[in-house]
Amino acid sequence: MICSFAFGHGFDTEAVNSFHFQDEIIREVQERTYRTYLPVFSFIEDGMRKERDGTVVMQPFADFFPLYEYAALHFESPTQTESQSIIDEIIEGEELHDKEQEELDLDTDLIEAIRKENEDSKQKEKEEQQEEVEFAEADKVLSIDREALQDFDRLVKDFYAVDSTTYIGRDQLDVNKLSGKDMTLQQTDNSVPQILIYHTHSQESFVDSVPGDDMTTIMGAGERLAQVLRDKYGFNVIHYAGKFDVESRDYAYSNAAPALEALLQENPSIEVIIDLHRDEVPADRKLVTDIGGRPTAKFMFFNGLSRTNKTGEIEYLQNPNLDENLAFSFQMQMVSNEYYPGITRKIYLKGYRYNMHYRGKTLLIELGAQTNTVEEIMNACDPLAHILSLVLTGEESNSAPG
């Protein structure tokens, strides 16, 4: 078409150049129109090819249409406005991210500080446990007036708690009778068993006992007591770990009797039997005292009298060792009060026999209660062992108040 146009009208170089110049103007006008009124098509076209430099070509066009040039210099196209909005959002998002990151860094620092403080606290607690106060045997700090205890009512008031189901007479609670019985060990040869510790109620636990761990229950306390009696005081002790109350407590004493009889038959040298329990008290009651800076569970000696108010003497529960049982608990209570005031509760008297008839030197001890901690229970084993040693060796009778 260009050739025919040129040759039909004669070959004119300026005409050809003018023709190309017009073509460029038309193309540039189209592009400007797309950008102004149809920016989508302009975007598509730009994506398909590179934009040509139309500065030289558009200068004459701008001379003819100065308003277009003015608009181009002072206004942004819709696509530019949209791009700026996106850029602003990106910048705002980055600023928000930076702020959140700073807050996160602060939170991380706080968490790290708390973690370090917890570790320091645990380390301090561990060090304090390692520096735990060791038990020190107490000296005799007071001497109880035995003359005053000649009065039966005074004796009962100061030393006993009598269950409402039973009764006690003056003939049995006589201070001279109770104090006069010799409770020292006759079997001084510790190459043979001297003391038996067992638990009619093996399932009794404490406030922080670990489920399934017998060493954090009353059985663990029995092992601890046996260990102190062996290692510190030189007694030969059997700690029997039989369980008689797993399914039910109702027949625990009956279940325990055959095992006790077998143990005593195998070890006739045993003179002392300790049935170690823990008591049950209201949830808000805590049986604890301080012994030499150590939290220590209180304990209580318990005697069965084989009699009730309703039936009188229980013929099928005869106990030929009752007087000796009463003398043993009384002397233990007396020494406890003189060496460790406040560590014991009053001796509890109740009906029935509680398997205390097998040996005269038999103790049923309620060591603390379910509200005590394992630590308090284990701490109580030290003074209890000391008191046992004083009574069984007769040392307390030669002591004077410090």
Side-chain angles (χ1 to χ4, degrees), residues 116-131:
K116 188 176 185 306
E117 183 178 352
N118 289 338
E119 288 181 354
D120 292 342
S121 177
K122 289 180 180 178
Q123 181 63 28
K124 183 178 180 181
E125 182 179 352
K126 185 177 180 181
E127 292 173 356
E128 289 175 350
Q129 289 175 349
Q130 291 174 348
E131 298 174 359

Side-chain angles (χ1 to χ4, degrees), residues 41-84:
F41 291 102
S42 174
F43 173 80
I44 295 173
E45 187 176 24
D46 285 345
M48 295 173 60
R49 62 178 178 82
K50 293 182 178 179
E51 184 175 352
R52 294 186 301 276
D53 183 7
T55 304
V56 176
V57 176
M58 286 304 300
Q59 188 59 47
F61 181 81
D63 293 338
F64 286 103
F65 299 95
L67 183 60
Y68 191 97
E69 181 178 31
Y70 178 85
L73 292 173
H74 292 84
F75 297 97
E76 294 178 353
S77 68
T79 55
Q80 291 174 322
T81 302
E82 182 178 354
S83 299
Q84 185 62 43

Side-chain angles (χ1 to χ4, degrees), residues 94-112:
E94 289 177 347
E95 292 175 349
L96 180 61
H97 175 73
D98 291 340
K99 182 179 180 181
E100 290 175 347
Q101 186 62 44
E102 290 175 0
E103 293 176 352
L104 181 60
D105 291 340
L106 289 174
D107 290 344
T108 303
D109 293 340
L110 180 60
I111 292 171
E112 178 62 21

Side-chain angles (χ1 to χ4, degrees), residues 145-310:
D145 183 3
R146 280 143 175 89
E147 288 297 323
L149 297 179
Q150 297 287 346
D151 184 310
F152 174 76
D153 293 331
R154 171 73 178 274
L155 175 62
V156 173
K157 178 177 178 294
D158 290 353
F159 276 78
Y160 294 95
V162 183
D163 190 82
S164 60
T165 62
T166 193
Y167 63 94
I168 189 74
R170 294 175 183 272
D171 58 329
Q172 289 176 308
L173 291 189
D174 176 271
V175 68
N176 294 325
K177 189 176 179 181
L178 295 170
S179 300
K181 283 193 177 293
D182 183 7
M183 290 291 110
T184 60
L185 280 179
Q186 304 304 304
Q187 178 57 266
T188 57
D189 180 9
N190 65 0
S191 65
V192 293
Q194 299 164 302
I195 301 173
L196 169 66
I197 300 174
Y198 78 105
H199 312 276
T200 300
H201 295 153
S202 65
Q203 303 303 297
E204 292 174 332
S205 58
F206 305 100
V207 67
D208 57 347
S209 293
V210 178
D213 183 0
D214 287 345
M215 290 300 99
T216 63
T217 69
I218 194 62
M219 296 187 72
E223 183 56 34
R224 167 69 176 158
L225 178 60
Q227 179 185 10
V228 177
L229 288 170
R230 292 186 196 114
D231 297 346
K232 190 164 187 175
Y233 300 103
F235 295 111
N236 190 321
V237 184
I238 294 176
H239 177 219
Y240 182 65
K243 298 181 179 182
F244 312 109
D245 61 332
V246 175
E247 295 181 0
S248 172
R249 290 167 58 100
D250 294 342
Y251 302 100
Y253 288 96
S254 298
N255 295 338
L260 285 175
E261 292 169 2
L263 284 166
L264 293 174
Q265 186 174 359
E266 294 171 5
N267 304 279
S269 58
I270 291 174
E271 286 188 52
V272 179
I273 299 176
I274 300 172
D275 185 6
L276 193 61
H277 295 247
R278 68 108 173 100
D279 204 359
E280 184 85 16
V281 298
D284 60 348
R285 188 178 181 190
K286 191 75 178 291
L287 305 175
V288 65
T289 187
D290 183 279
I291 301 296
R294 306 166 87 225
T296 304
K298 296 183 178 183
F299 45 87
M300 178 178 74
F301 304 114
F302 183 107
N303 284 101
L305 302 179
S306 295
R307 65 163 70 106
T308 67
N309 292 326
K310 185 176 181 180

